[in-house]
Amino acid sequence: MRLRFAPSPTGALHIGGARTALYNWLLARGGGGELLLRIEDTDRERSTPENVEQIFDALRWLGLDWDGDPVFQSRRAPRHAEVLARLLDSGRAYHSNATAQDVRAFKDRHGSDKGFRGEPEPGGAVRLHAGEGEPLRVADVIRGETVFAREHMDDPVIARADGSVLYNFAVAVDDLDAGITHVVRGEDHLSNTPKQLLVFEALGAQAPVYAHLPLLHGPDGKKLSKRHGAASVQELRDAGYLPEAVRNYLALLGWGHGDDTKLSTDELQRLFRLEDVSRNPARFDEQKLRWLNGLYVRELSPRELAARLEEFTGRANLLEAARISQEKIQTLADFWPLSGFLFDGPRDDPQARERVLERNGAHDVLAQAREALAAAEGFDPDAVEAALRAVVEARGVKPKDVFQPVRVAIAGTTVSPGIFESVATLGRAETLRRIDAVLGP
Ligand code: GLU
């Protein structure tokens, strides 16, 4: 199998494009095939170097590699011109000055479903003969066979009057030259396929096998867009998702293996088959991605999680904080709002202070907790727990009547990792200092 991923670098790599890249990669890596990366940068205005870099960057982050150097479509212009000349010489293509108006006039004369046929002229744009007879058949692995009657197809324009070739021509020539055996791409390209097949036919070559992937919808059933949350790979990274979780989740957008949800990349490579891809639109649901990401977060070793968090936040020495946050975060971005108080001081949450610290008796409870923590033997989570539970016992109150004021005193708010772990991680001196700040002189 020789596959390719052929993004147009006109912006960020979106979720749909990332899924296309992933499926191609899984097929290549799972079946001992090869994957080519072709940058379709013929739109010179929108294909900026920054956009190209963004695509490399997104693929690298996703952990998707390719074989050999990337091919830049724009650099293949001489080859496209050569093939175009060959088709003109052989009479498979012809020059034509026909305008859109001429095409309409042709249809008025012959019927609206009749494909346009032009008269060869000395110059002008270049059209390919769509021909007569046997229809074009797209054998699509996912959608089955689609048949296109030639008589309904206009002779497609393959080059402009200035000699520059059109998109569908370039794609077919590039796929042919690269020896691509399987074209796996989004369903939005289905309508391009007959034009590309005509190019293969005109060159006397066999077309690749095609597989058009189903559209992506948001949870509301509408076509996926920014409204539905993170829409590009960069945004997924910034939202704190792990690449392995994103790979897993993207694989499930249009494909599945029974009821399995969590599938490692190894398993995906082993199990993924084009034949099992659904024809129905797939639903991107960020809540499900969050949940799945949480499973991956909990599977990391604390050391590995800390390394990822350090890279994500740009802060150092997060091992202990990572350890005590691991059960409570779903994304890397959840970490700092939960545990940043350990490093940057208590949060400013006046409501929490009012509700918890300005209640009757809270001051006394906190003073007693302070004494217990100051006197505790050792300061690991067990020692902290014993000290605070002794206060609960002595005062005959509910545990949360003691734990919650301590939590708000050290965190400034009511959300934090486990209270004993948080206090222990903060250490005795800092814990007492924060409690004293609340108690006042
Ligand atoms: N360049 C096209 C895109 O980014 C893909 C073309 C293809 O896969 O044939 O959507």
Side-chain angles (χ1 to χ4, degrees), residues 4-10 17 20 24 38-41 73 167-168 171 175 183-186 188-189 192 196 210 212:
R4 85 312 193 264
F5 175 54
S8 304
T10 50
T20 302
N24 277 287
R38 181 170 73 231
I39 302 294
E40 303 208 315
D41 57 346
Q73 194 161 54
Y167 174 73
N168 283 309
V171 169
D175 283 340
V183 170
V184 178
R185 61 186 174 196
D188 45 330
H189 288 282
N192 288 329
Q196 295 176 13
Y210 289 91
H212 288 94

Side-chain angles (χ1 to χ4, degrees), residues 240-299:
Y241 295 107
L242 305 177
E244 57 269 46
V246 173
R247 284 198 294 273
N248 186 159
Y249 185 68
L250 289 178
L252 300 177
L253 293 176
W255 173 86
H257 184 257
D259 289 334
D260 295 348
T261 313
K262 189 156 174 302
L263 290 157
S264 71
T265 301
D266 279 352
E267 290 171 312
L268 292 174
Q269 285 185 358
R270 211 153 25 77
L271 298 171
F272 182 80
R273 291 180 353 131
L274 269 184
E275 290 78 3
D276 299 334
V277 174
S278 162
R279 306 172 51 146
N280 303 323
R283 224 170 251 262
F284 175 78
D285 180 351
E286 199 172 339
Q287 288 313 315
K288 188 162 176 198
L289 170 59
R290 270 189 73 81
W291 168 81
L292 190 59
N293 201 73
L295 300 185
Y296 278 88
V297 163
R298 279 185 278 297
E299 239 178 35

